[in-house]
Each structure stands twice: as structure tokens, then as C-alpha cells.
Amino acid sequence: MNRLKGKILAIQRSGELVRADIECADTMLTAFVMGSAQEGFLEKEGSEVWVLFKESEVALAKDFSGQISLRNRFEGRIESIERAELLAQIVIRYGEDTIISIISRRACDAMELKTGESVTALVKANEITLMEYS
Amino acid sequence: MVEIDASKRLHSAEDDIKLRVSASFKRGDFVAFFGASGAGKTTILRMIAGLLRPDSGRIAVDGEVWFDSRERVDLPPQKREVGFVFQDYALFPNMSVEENLRFALQKGDNPSIVDELIETVGLGAFASRYPSALSGGQRQRVAMARALVRRPKILLLDEPLSALDHTMRSKLQEELADIHRRFGLTTVLVSHDPSEIFRLCNYVFKIEGGSVKKEGSPSELFVKERIGSSFKFTGEVLSIERCEMVYLLSVAIGTQIVKIMATKKEREGLKIGSRIQIVSKAFHPMIFKIES
């Protein structure tokens, strides 16, 4: 799974549903989580958290424009590409971290992704898990 | 309230350890003493039962003192109102199921409890059988029933299910939970199996090097990382297969085996038999109603 360090900027609750705005390097992220009372670390705005998401949940865009509902966008540069028969794994340099995306080989070929290229990694807000930073 | 504060010097094959246990829990609790073998867990049960005398300390149950080294109180086992279930069942081989239970009766006890307990553990049809004619699971049910004959306040379970296969184990775990509730018991389990403790217990004492190192609810103790998600399962890795740049893990969760995709990083450090925690968000599961 991808693991980035972030900081909680704001928490909005509606019943059990929690929307967390998180600052992660120079990117603003939104995460939707179900928050029960025991997850006290969500309460403190300003507290540091781990932002977790699975590689297979990371979509990629190139020359990205237009409107899209995905709010979580990481602008980075492709560091390496590994192509297999059905899958492709793309490692993206994002500041001091790397973000890994596993997409279909077909999409990777169709987008003609190359090492060194700029891409946008996209993650849906409900695919992000938050973990107490320790 | 059960209060235990007991010290005992133990001599083991490797070295001498000083057991110093301080633990208290409420009536009706189902607690576990968890730790590696040789940590002194069984010794704690034996001290509660009165089978082993602490060097010093105090053991009290609901305000009644069972042991107090300073007051020189040391109730004998038969006065302590405990039921003990051992890993190896410890049934009398020359007695039938019913006779094994009757043997536990004391003068003045109502003998009808024997039939009642045999029915409770579902062994009505086997009452006249000898232990050798029973399966491991049935033998352990007899041992459980026998431990309840004297209507104990505390049921002590020393790795009671570790000799059984997985399916039988989870079945008996359910029965244990049921017995605990039905008889309003306070139950103390010794176990080294976190998933068993998760299923049964509401409180855990982690024993390490002869003392309680940590205590809390099973999830507080076994779930190191606090994750803001809703689905957490503990499982055991059965196989690891490589598939392109990812891995497929077969994982046993309870009685189910599921395949899970793991990335190279997630696979690192895992081997067959590794225990893992699987987390999924509340948004993921698709729900299908089962038509009855």
C-alpha cells in the first residue's frame, strides 16, 4: 500500500461519516472515513496522520484537463514502469515519496507512458484510509 | 470482583523466573492470560485453583479471601468454587461420561445437574460411553461439563482447545461462549492464540517474563496500529503465489479461506503461517441479501 504522511486541516462530520481535509506535501487531499468514537486521533485538527491507499486504487492521467470528480490528485514524474502481461506497475516520484500505481497493461500502452513523464495520480476520497501517526 | 496478586519463584529447564502477577477483573468477565509458552500462564491458573501455593500474595473472589500469605489463609481447592479444564481433558478412562461427571459431585449436591450438563453439551446419547470411544471434541465437552458440576464461580481453561482441529475448535469456541453466558460464569482462559482470544474474551492480560506487561481489550492489545476503517480481520497466510508484479495470498480467516492481492511491499516479510491483519474500508463491501 502507498503510505504518505499528512496533516489534518479540517474535519467535517455527518453522523458516522467523516470528511477529512488533509495536507500532504503540497497537495490538499480529501478522505472519507467512517469514524467511531474510538478513533480519537481524527478529532484533533493539526494532528499528523498516515494517508494509506492501495496501489491498485491509483488511477493515472496524462495532460489532464477538464472536470473530474476525483479531488485527490498527485502531480508527479514517472520514475519507472514495469510491464507484465495484464498489469503494469508505475512508480511515481512525488516530492520525497513515491506513489505506486497498478493499472492495466492495456491502459499503460494506450497512454504511451514513459519514464520521466509528468502524470497525475488520482485516488478517490473513499479509497483513502487514515491511520494514527506514530 | 476477582483480585489476584501473587508471587512465585519458578524453576524451569532454562532458568529460574520470578512470577509476579497482579490482575483484577469483574464478575462475568471472560478474560485471557496470553503469552508464549513458559511465561507462567498455567501457573497463574493453578494458583487461582489452589493447586499451587504462591510464595506470597493475596487472591480474593467477591470479597472472599482464598489465599493471603500474611493472614495465613489458604483455602483448599475443593473450597474454592472453581472448575478447571485442562488441555489433555484429564478424564478418568475407566469411567463412563456420566460417571466422570458424578465423580465431581460432593455430598449434598443435587445429582440431577449431571444429566442436565450432559444434555447442555449435547452428549445425551453418549452418557454411558467411555472416553476412549469419544472424539477429541466430545472428550473436551465432557471435561467442560465436569468442570461445571460444582457450579463454580470461576471457570479456568488451560489451552482447552489447542489439541483440536480448526473446525472443531471454532465450534467449541462458540459453545464455550454460550456456556459462559448461560451459567453466568467468570471465565479465565490461558491461550497463545490471538484469534481465539478475540472471539471469546473481553479483556486480556499479556504475560511476559513472569508479569503482566500489558492489559486491555483484545483489539487494544493485538491491533497495534489504529486505523480509521471499519473492517479488520486477523488471518493466517496459507500460501503465497506470484502473479505478474503482484502476489496472491491465500489467507485463513476463521473457517474461511480468501485470496487477497498483495503488492510486493505488502508481501515483504510474510511467509506461510504469518499472522496478518486485513483492513478494508466501510465503503468497499458489496452487500447481497441471502434468501432463506
Side-chain angles (χ1 to χ4, degrees), chain B residues 11-289:
Chain B
H11 311 284
S12 73
E14 291 106 58
D15 58 334
D16 287 6
I17 57 164
K18 176 114 195 274
L19 190 69
R20 198 188 183 310
V21 178
S22 178
S24 69
F25 42 92
K26 293 191 298 292
R27 241 190 124 156
D29 275 353
F30 200 136
V31 302
F33 284 101
F34 167 79
S37 55
K41 307 187 297 288
T42 298
T43 306
I44 299 168
L45 287 196
R46 292 170 61 84
M47 291 193 299
I48 299 172
L51 301 169
L52 194 71
R53 195 179 182 285
D55 296 337
S56 65
R58 185 175 185 272
I59 296 169
V61 176
D62 295 339
E64 189 191 357
V65 178
W66 287 7
F67 178 81
D68 192 326
S69 54
R70 268 181 297 179
E71 303 284 329
R72 299 188 176 274
V73 179
D74 187 7
L75 289 191
Q78 63 273 19
K79 294 219 165 140
R80 290 198 182 195
E81 297 177 79
V82 296
F84 209 126
V85 180
F86 303 91
Q87 183 182 341
D88 57 1
Y89 324 130
L91 299 174
F92 298 113
N94 56 334
M95 291 185 190
S96 69
V97 168
E98 195 184 334
E99 287 163 344
N100 261 283
L101 266 70
R102 282 195 188 285
F103 191 81
L105 286 171
Q106 283 189 349
K107 228 169 49 190
D109 287 350
N110 183 352
S112 69
I113 189 162
V114 169
D115 295 336
E116 198 184 304
L117 283 170
I118 291 174
E119 286 301 325
T120 301
V121 295
L123 290 174
F126 302 90
S128 56
R129 288 228 192 151
Y130 287 88
S132 57
L134 298 174
S135 71
Q138 289 166 338
R139 281 179 213 180
Q140 197 53 297
R141 284 197 183 97
V142 178
M144 270 151 54
R146 189 182 56 182
L148 297 172
V149 166
R150 305 239 45 236
R151 297 233 172 243
K153 275 190 181 161
I154 305 182
L155 181 61
L156 303 170
L157 307 169
D158 188 5
E159 303 262 8
L161 310 178
S162 57
L164 304 173
D165 68 46
H166 190 88
T167 321
M168 185 48 71
R169 204 154 59 207
S170 49
K171 196 157 186 321
L172 279 178
Q173 279 165 357
E174 277 169 37
E175 291 178 22
L176 265 178
D178 186 52
I179 283 173
H180 170 80
R181 270 194 304 270
R182 187 137 38 128
F183 290 84
L185 293 164
T186 305
T187 306
V188 183
L189 170 76
V190 154
S191 178
H192 61 265
D193 178 1
S195 67
E196 180 165 284
I197 293 172
F198 253 101
R199 282 186 174 198
L200 292 173
C201 303
N202 61 309
Y203 206 77
V204 196
F205 297 95
K206 187 179 180 198
I207 306 296
E208 223 178 274
S211 64
V212 176
K213 276 282 136 62
K214 255 185 176 178
E215 59 182 278
S217 71
S219 55
E220 278 166 355
L221 239 83
F222 299 122
V223 184
K224 269 184 251 142
E225 303 185 300
R226 297 176 57 196
I227 301 180
S229 307
S230 296
F231 290 82
K232 291 172 197 173
F233 302 99
T234 331
E236 187 181 320
V237 177
L238 301 180
S239 71
I240 303 172
E241 266 170 82
R242 202 191 154 119
C243 182
E244 304 208 337
M245 69 277 292
V246 295
Y247 295 83
L248 292 178
L249 308 181
S250 298
V251 181
I253 302 171
T255 52
Q256 268 199 73
I257 298 174
V258 291
K259 282 212 171 191
I260 299 168
M261 191 275 271
T263 56
K264 202 168 159 189
K265 243 205 238 155
E266 287 171 319
R267 184 239 177 276
E268 272 170 24
L270 294 183
K271 50 179 202 259
I272 312 295
S274 290
R275 296 193 62 81
I276 56 172
Q277 195 190 26
I278 297 154
V279 177
S280 182
K281 291 199 62 173
F283 297 90
H284 264 152
M286 284 171 275
I287 297 155
F288 300 92
K289 184 169 185 284

Side-chain angles (χ1 to χ4, degrees), chain A residues 6 14 20 31 46 94 105 108 115 120 129:
Chain A
S14 171
Y94 173 70
R105 165 77 196 265
C108 179
T115 306
T120 309
T129 291

